Amino acid sequence: MISLVILGAMVAATVPCPGPDRGTLEEWKCYGELEYASRTEGEDDFGARFVVFANGERLYEKREPAATKFRLMGEGWSLYRGLDREDSTVVGRHDPFLFFEFALMPPLVALAASGKAPSALPPGTTPVLYTVDSEAVRLMRELGIRSVKGSIERSGESYRFAAESVGNVPTGLLAMSVSGRWSAEAVAPYPDSMALSGWQYHCRPAGVDVRGNHRPVPGGVTLGDVRRGWKGSCD
């Protein structure tokens, strides 16, 4: 299993959870940070991190053997890091962060196999097990999951999980190993003084070719400048 990246500093505030999700298997999505690594037979190892900061900004991180790609978003702005020309498009499968439509499923699979909402899990280790012979779990059937085995370990408002799952895909069966953590603690946002060397901003250049539509943030521009409305040129 891939080792987990050391998590950033967090403050001890709880992220608000929408009423309809409280006490359900969807409750973990209200939490401030999720990180996991997975391994699928015949495919490259894969890692993801998703953060909702205490100020509402979001970070998407995609880790693959070749590179790590980042997207940091706030109200009315986005910053990128680790993109190459083919990533830098606005169309189709070239969107390097489209995978987040599906990346949040692995921890939900482990949680659903426990049959409990996060807040209902007791402290310590909870074994998780789901097969087609066990009590029906609608979510598993909707996802085409045949079996899951693993565990969730709860320590306060932090949860670690590890699971092996087998599911149906058009080509047959898909076996995946996953390990990671999520936390109910809010994550402290990056400071205004954060330098943006190595980061890129989005623009829409003229012409049909939309590759390469990100530009390096100029030296001296800080995250605070972006938050206050700084916009880069497409020239």
Side-chain angles (χ1 to χ4, degrees):
M1 205 68 73
I2 310 168
S3 61
L4 296 178
V5 174
I6 298 175
L7 300 174
M10 296 183 290
V11 294
T14 300
V15 176
C17 183
D21 291 333
R22 193 182 305 276
T24 72
L25 294 179
E26 301 292 318
E27 183 183 334
W28 73 271
K29 292 183 179 180
C30 309
Y31 291 7
E33 184 170 29
L34 162 72
E35 183 175 22
Y36 74 87
S38 67
R39 174 170 296 164
T40 303
E41 185 176 352
E43 298 183 10
D44 291 336
D45 294 344
F46 175 83
R49 183 179 177 219
F50 178 70
V51 182
V52 179
F53 294 99
N55 64 354
E57 293 173 357
R58 301 184 302 281
L59 176 72
Y60 300 80
E61 179 180 335
K62 179 181 182 181
R63 299 192 300 273
E64 295 177 309
T68 300
K69 299 177 174 64
F70 301 89
R71 182 182 187 187
L72 178 62
M73 301 174 60
E75 186 174 356
W77 57 267
S78 294
L79 296 171
Y80 303 84
R81 187 165 187 159
L83 303 187
D84 58 30
R85 181 172 170 79
E86 293 304 319
D87 290 319
S88 187
T89 71
V90 292
V91 293
R93 64 183 182 85
H94 295 293
D95 181 349
F97 300 100
L98 185 64
F99 83 104
F100 269 103
E101 294 289 327
F102 312 99
L104 302 182
M105 284 298 180
L108 184 57
V109 169
L111 183 63
S114 76
K116 298 180 180 179
S119 56
L121 292 171
T125 302
T126 298
V128 296
L129 178 66
Y130 170 76
T131 70
V132 293
D133 298 322
S134 65
E135 183 178 351
V137 180
R138 182 186 303 175
L139 174 65
M140 297 300 203
R141 291 181 172 176
E142 290 177 351
L143 296 176
I145 301 297
R146 290 191 173 194
S147 66
V148 181
K149 60 180 180 180
S151 64
I152 299 174
E153 181 178 349
R154 180 177 182 181
S155 176
E157 295 304 307
S158 293
Y159 303 76
R160 290 189 177 275
F161 62 94
E164 308 278 336
S165 66
V166 176
N168 298 320
V169 293
T171 56
L173 292 179
L174 178 69
M176 184 175 71
S177 302
V178 63
S179 66
R181 73 182 294 262
W182 71 85
S183 173
E185 296 178 311
V187 182
Y190 296 127
D192 277 352
S193 60
M194 184 177 111
L196 297 178
S197 175
W199 287 84
Q200 301 165 293
Y201 62 92
H202 178 76
C203 70
R204 293 182 180 273
V208 177
D209 189 351
V210 294
R211 292 171 296 177
N213 61 2
H214 293 89
R215 303 286 187 271
V217 177
V221 176
T222 67
L223 181 56
D225 294 328
V226 174
R227 286 168 172 159
R228 289 187 289 270
W230 177 87
K231 301 290 184 182
S233 170
C234 281
D235 296 337

